[in-house]
Amino acid sequence: MIQKERTLSIIKPDAVSKGIIGAIISRFESSGLLIVSAKMLQLTTDQVLEFYNEHKNKFFFKDLMEFMISGPIFVQILEGNYAIRRNREIMGNTDPMKALAGTIRFDYGESCTKNVIHGSDSESSAKYEIAYFFDI
């Protein structure tokens, strides 16, 4: 049975500064995921604290916060069959060194923090994350 879903994707500051937004979008589109809404924005410290609240006590949080406010991001809603799972497959492992060849993070990521992309990891996080950035 086919399950049409929506998921959030954030192209992070490192990817924006490298000029690879189009290359990343192309991977989603060629995999059958549609972009139903998108925008570029600059996160504030308060927004990062709120959005990544579940990670606030983890060792990497300070670096993540500084990185996410370091430049603009490109936020998009992807839609398609099993969009959450497909998005995560296309992105690859959070750690680019562990990501499969051909995934976005393998090809463009530098570290667990500077891994060029974020994607929702579940249906509940997708709903929260989409609502955080979009009035849909």
Side-chain angles (χ1 to χ4, degrees), residues 14 18 20 24 27 87-112 114-117:
D14 53 340
K18 289 177 185 177
I20 58 173
I24 291 171
R27 294 192 187 201
N87 181 35
R88 298 200 61 80
E89 290 169 354
I90 296 164
M91 289 189 310
N93 190 293
T94 302
D95 181 349
M97 302 303 285
K98 296 178 183 175
L100 295 176
T103 62
I104 293 169
R105 288 175 172 154
F106 177 88
D107 291 342
Y108 302 114
E110 295 175 25
S111 67
C112 288
K114 293 183 177 181
N115 61 11
V116 303
I117 197 151

Side-chain angles (χ1 to χ4, degrees), residues 8 51 118-121 124-134:
L8 184 84
F51 185 75
H118 165 89
S120 305
D121 63 5
S124 62
S125 69
K127 286 179 182 175
Y128 166 78
E129 292 176 353
I130 288 169
Y132 188 84
F133 288 106
F134 295 93

Side-chain angles (χ1 to χ4, degrees), residues 30-101:
S30 66
S31 294
L33 295 175
L34 302 173
I35 299 168
V36 296
S37 191
K39 60 185 170 183
M40 188 169 297
L41 55 100
Q42 175 78 44
L43 292 176
T44 66
T45 300
D46 288 343
Q47 287 172 314
V48 173
L49 285 168
E50 185 177 359
F51 185 75
Y52 286 108
N53 187 49
E54 67 184 275
H55 300 302
K56 70 181 176 185
N57 294 320
K58 296 183 180 168
F59 73 93
F60 60 82
F61 184 72
K62 184 176 184 272
D63 290 339
L64 175 64
M65 187 172 68
E66 289 173 2
F67 170 62
M68 291 302 291
I69 63 171
S70 70
I73 61 170
F74 186 81
V75 186
Q76 58 194 331
I77 300 171
L78 303 175
E79 182 179 86
N81 296 328
Y82 304 102
I84 297 165
R85 184 184 76 213
R86 284 294 304 132
N87 181 35
R88 298 200 61 80
E89 290 169 354
I90 296 164
M91 289 189 310
N93 190 293
T94 302
D95 181 349
M97 302 303 285
K98 296 178 183 175
L100 295 176

Side-chain angles (χ1 to χ4, degrees), residues 11-23:
I11 298 177
K12 295 181 179 182
D14 53 340
V16 173
S17 68
K18 289 177 185 177
I20 58 173
I21 294 171

